[in-house]
């Protein structure tokens, strides 16, 4: 079964899955949640993140994506960090998450915090903080992260397939998936801008180059000159080559992504889909002309909003000692 057919089969379950797992419980989140119980927590996380980003700035993109993928499945509960077990395939091993990198950064930050304050700071909060710090360290925006999330104890690969927007999603599917998480159409347009520091394997968009409708054709919504360029990099069946989503500035967080999309040079169908809705198209056009003038501020606001999706707080969930394992 193709990934498109698999997505279609499960798409109607998105709303149901959200009703079960995605109800936000944000009243216990607040700035400085660990001020009394672990006052050095955020500083420790920031310093640990800096140690890795200073040596490998390209880690910022997968760390940001990891936070996004965490929040869209069961809410921002750190479930994406859990390892699979003998009896369960976890989110981490679902197809959309196989390209995630940077788990070692989260583990390092958690280890450093545990040494200072054992059993206090959740992996979910650490992931939210690391994502923020990594983005800010590559000239991206900085936002204040409300903390107080608790860690989930369940991670199911199938739920990642159901809840994560695939690269071939159309605008109707994207709007529905974001709406199911309490995120607006504007949030969709803004958070898609995270692709400004993204990279992709050729296999994620190869159908747009070689077999868009099953007849050996290309996607007519993509700039034909760009198709020619991409075909030189991505041969049929190529599953290893990596392409920059924002060529020339993929290591820097800026608004150039919108210029690429406006020129019909977005890599994914989900990028191109932003031109198929009045509101998202307006946002793309605005920042393609203004070079992302207010994008940083907008992105920060939408990240705070996304970081509150389906959180566990109070006595729900727990505080994992190791982010990859449920406490014994």
């Amino acid at each position: 079964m193709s990934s498109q057919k698999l997505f279609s089969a499960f798409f109607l379950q998105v709303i149901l899955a959200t009703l079960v797992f995605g109800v936000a419980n944000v009243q216990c989140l607040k700035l400085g949640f660990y001020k009394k119980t672990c006052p050095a927590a955020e500083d420790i996380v920031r310093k640990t993140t800096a140690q890795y980003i200073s040596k490998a700035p390209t880690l910022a993109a997968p760390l940001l994506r990891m936070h996004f993928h965490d929040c869209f499945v069961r809410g921002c509960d750190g479930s994406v960090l859990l390892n699979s077990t003998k009896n369960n395939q976890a989110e981490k091993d679902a197809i959309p998450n196989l390209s995630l990198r940077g788990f070692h950064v989260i583990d390092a930050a958690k280890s450093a915090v545990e040494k200072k304050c054992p059993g206090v700071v959740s992996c979910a909060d650490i992931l939210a903080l690391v994502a923020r710090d990594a983005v800010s360290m590559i000239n991206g925006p900085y936002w204040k992260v409300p903390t107080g999330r608790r860690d989930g104890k369940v991670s199911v690969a199938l739920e990642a397939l159901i809840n994560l927007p695939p690269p071939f999603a159309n605008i109707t599917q994207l709007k529905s998936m974001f709406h199911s998480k309490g995120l607006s159409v504007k949030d969709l347009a803004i958070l898609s801008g995270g692709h400004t520091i993204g990279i992709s394997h050729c296999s994620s968009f190869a159908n747009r180059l070689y077999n868009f409708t099953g007849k050996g054709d290309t996607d007519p919504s993509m700039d034909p000159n760009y198709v020619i360029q991409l075909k030189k990099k991505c041969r049929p069946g190529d599953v290893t080559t990596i392409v920059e989503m924002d060529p020339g500035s993929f290591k820097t967080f800026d608004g150039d992504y919108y210029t690429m999309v406006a020129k019909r040079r977005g890599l994914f169908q989900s990028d191109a889909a932003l031109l198929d809705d009045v509101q998202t198209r307006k946002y793309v056009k605005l920042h393609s002309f203004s070079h992302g003038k207010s994008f940083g501020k907008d992105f920060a606001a939408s990240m705070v909003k996304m970081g509150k999706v389906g959180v566990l707080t109070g006595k729900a969930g727990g505080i994992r000692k190791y982010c990859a394992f449920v406490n014994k």
Side-chain angles (χ1 to χ4, degrees), residues 7-318:
F7 174 73
S8 297
F10 292 123
F11 182 69
L12 292 179
Q13 298 181 45
V14 170
I15 301 299
L16 177 60
T18 299
L19 289 174
V20 178
F21 300 120
V23 180
N25 178 28
V26 301
Q27 63 266 30
C28 293
L29 291 186
K30 64 179 182 180
L31 296 176
F33 181 84
Y34 300 107
K35 186 176 181 180
K36 294 182 179 179
T37 55
C38 190
E42 294 196 27
D43 189 50
I44 292 172
V45 171
R46 182 168 53 254
K47 288 180 178 178
T48 303
T49 304
Q51 291 173 4
Y52 289 92
I53 298 301
S54 63
K55 298 175 182 177
T58 56
L59 277 173
L63 287 168
L64 173 62
R65 184 166 167 250
M66 191 186 297
H67 182 36
F68 179 93
H69 282 210
D70 183 41
C71 292
F72 262 62
V73 184
R74 289 184 169 265
C76 312
D77 68 345
S79 57
V80 73
L81 305 172
L82 285 169
N83 285 348
S84 293
T85 64
K86 182 179 179 180
N87 300 314
N88 177 66
Q89 186 179 34
E91 294 169 34
K92 185 185 290 187
D93 292 317
I95 291 174
N97 288 331
L98 293 178
S99 58
L100 289 181
R101 298 185 299 120
F103 292 101
H104 63 293
V105 180
I106 306 300
D107 290 340
K110 174 63 172 175
S111 177
V113 171
E114 281 292 306
K115 290 180 181 178
K116 187 73 174 180
C117 315
V120 174
V121 182
S122 69
C123 296
D125 274 342
I126 287 175
L127 176 53
L129 292 167
V130 167
R132 184 272 311 275
D133 292 338
V135 168
S136 70
M137 289 170 189
I138 56 167
N139 299 317
Y142 180 92
W143 57 93
K144 294 181 179 180
V145 177
T147 46
R149 299 167 187 79
R150 304 270 287 179
D151 293 325
K153 301 177 182 180
V154 177
S155 183
V156 181
L158 180 60
E159 293 177 4
L161 289 173
I162 294 172
N163 287 278
L164 293 176
F168 50 79
N170 61 40
I171 191 63
T172 301
Q173 293 165 338
L174 290 169
K175 288 166 66 176
S176 293
M177 297 186 88
F178 273 69
H179 178 72
S180 73
K181 307 303 177 186
L183 298 171
S184 68
V185 176
K186 184 178 180 180
D187 292 320
L188 163 61
I190 294 168
L191 293 174
S192 294
H195 284 171
T196 186
I197 53 172
I199 57 176
S200 171
H201 286 90
C202 292
S203 55
S204 293
F205 57 89
N207 68 309
R208 301 187 74 197
L209 307 180
Y210 295 106
N211 198 30
F212 188 62
T213 64
K215 300 178 181 179
D217 54 344
T218 59
D219 184 348
S221 70
M222 182 178 276
D223 176 2
N225 291 320
Y226 197 44
V227 170
I228 293 173
Q229 289 182 35
L230 290 173
K231 282 185 173 181
K232 292 178 181 178
K233 296 180 179 180
C234 301
R235 300 297 181 182
D238 186 342
V239 295
T240 57
T241 302
I242 291 175
V243 177
E244 300 168 11
M245 300 193 75
D246 185 2
S249 69
F250 82 104
K251 292 183 181 180
T252 303
F253 200 96
D254 55 33
D256 287 350
Y257 163 81
Y258 296 104
T259 301
M260 295 294 294
V261 173
K263 291 180 177 179
R264 298 191 298 137
R265 293 190 167 201
L267 277 188
F268 297 159
Q269 285 172 251
S270 58
D271 295 318
L274 296 180
L275 296 177
D276 296 332
D277 173 84
V278 173
Q279 192 173 349
T280 54
R281 182 171 61 249
K282 182 178 179 181
Y283 193 84
V284 168
K285 296 291 186 181
L286 169 66
H287 288 291
S288 67
F289 289 126
S290 68
H291 302 289
K293 185 177 180 180
S294 66
F295 171 53
K297 180 179 179 181
D298 291 345
F299 191 81
S302 287
M303 285 299 295
V304 171
K305 187 176 178 181
M306 186 194 76
K308 297 178 180 179
V309 171
V311 294
L312 300 174
T313 60
K315 295 183 179 180

